């Protein structure tokens, strides 16, 4: 987890949950994590219910699932008993705590006050794609296939975007400290599998306006988003994105010091906004999970092979517009 760029807080949370599971197995099931079966895992999850929120139960189950998946992958354990448990559980996309509910017209009004090309491009990209802040920072020009990159800038686009029209590629193999094109990355991509996300007219226009004034980057990796204030031309960092969102949200009254996740609008809130509104509009949980990068390999392969008909068509038919109607 350290090598993958996980924070001290995240590592501590994993250890706390896994230690609790280990103690439960020893005290109540007479077994160990190495010999536990899916019924033991279900018993632990059943014990959690009623003591913590359902969203927390889902988070803890995900921790255990990832732990067993890794141990099975490296051959330490023979199998992952959480695979069956995950199938049996009532999985939900949204495991966030109760959050401020912002309607699409309110978000349009909020964005109308964001005029700086970089700030607007950062916010609109997150709102239209649901990507995490680290994934946003790690985007390079070659990860975006639009007329501005293919033609105006003559960028060598990733082969994964060939034949996909205007789209954006989010990799799944970025960790803090990775050196790519001579640049050491300061953010990680957390998604399970690489994902191709459609770019609609609105996002394409926003990116074109940003690229028209984008400073020459310092890195030969050609980052999509670079600083225009301090650290001129350097790739934006998660800190920069958090500060940008917080500043605009504070002006709107959507962020205050000491406010919790249920009150403050942060970059992660935009992922929640994307998930909630696109899921409600499409009624297709699978496609929303695909776009978020949350699905298993067999499901993601299905959408990858039928990308044009299933993903792009559904996305373009249902994605909300963030600019006021003409």
């Amino acid at each position: 987890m350290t090598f993958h760029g996980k924070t001290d807080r995240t590592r501590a949370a994993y250890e706390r949950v896994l230690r609790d599971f280990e103690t439960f197995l020893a005290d109540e099931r007479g077994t160990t994590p190495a010999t536990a079966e899916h019924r033991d895992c279900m018993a632990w999850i059943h014990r959690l219910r009623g003591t913590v929120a359902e969203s927390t139960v889902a988070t803890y189950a995900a921790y255990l699932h990832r732990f067993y998946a890794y141990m099975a992958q490296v051959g330490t354990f023979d199998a992952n008993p959480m695979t069956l448990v995950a199938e049996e559980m009532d999985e939900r996309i949204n495991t966030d705590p109760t959050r401020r509910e912002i309607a699409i017209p309110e978000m349009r009004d909020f964005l109308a006050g964001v005029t700086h090309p970089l700030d607007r491009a950062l916010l609109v990209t997150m709102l239209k794609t649901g990507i995490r802040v680290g994934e946003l920072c790690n985007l390079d020009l070659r990860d975006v296939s639009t007329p501005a990159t293919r033609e105006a800038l003559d960028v060598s686009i990733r082969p994964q975007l060939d034949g996909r029209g205007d789209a954006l590629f989010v990799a799944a193999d970025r960790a803090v400290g990775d050196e790519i094109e001579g640049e050491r990355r300061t953010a990680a991509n957390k998604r399970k599998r690489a994902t191709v996300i459609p770019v609609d007219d609105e996002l394409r226009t926003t990116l074109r306006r940003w690229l028209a004034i984008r400073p020459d980057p310092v890195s030969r990796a050609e980052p999509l988003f670079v600083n225009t204030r301090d650290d001129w031309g350097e790739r934006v960092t998660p800190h920069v994105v958090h500060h940008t969102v917080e500043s605009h949200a504070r002006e709107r009254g959507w962020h205050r010091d000491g406010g919790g996740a249920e009150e403050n609008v942060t970059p992660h809130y935009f992922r929640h906004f994307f998930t909630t509104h696109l899921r409600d509009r499409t009624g297709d949980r699978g496609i929303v999970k695909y776009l978020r990068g949350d699905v298993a390999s067999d499901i993601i392969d299905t959408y990858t092979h039928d990308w044009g008909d299933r993903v792009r068509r559904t996305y373009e038919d249902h994605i909300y517009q963030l600019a006021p109607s003409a």
Side-chain angles (χ1 to χ4, degrees), residues 257-277:
D257 293 338
E262 71 282 355
E263 178 181 1
N264 283 349
V265 170
T266 64
H268 187 71
Y269 179 86
F270 291 161
R271 185 167 166 83
H272 165 77
F273 182 92
F274 172 86
T275 299
T276 301
H277 287 288

Side-chain angles (χ1 to χ4, degrees), residues 2 16 45 83 97 120 124 152 154 178 207 234 264 273 287:
T2 300
R16 184 178 66 252
I45 291 169
T83 299
R120 187 172 183 85
V124 171
D154 192 26
D178 280 357
L207 292 175
E234 296 277 1
N264 283 349
F273 182 92
I287 282 184

Side-chain angles (χ1 to χ4, degrees), residues 56 88 99 144 150 161 189 197 220 249 253 289:
T56 304
E88 293 173 347
R99 291 180 179 271
V144 182
R150 293 192 306 265
L161 293 171
N189 288 12
I197 304 175
R220 68 171 182 267
K289 281 189 173 185

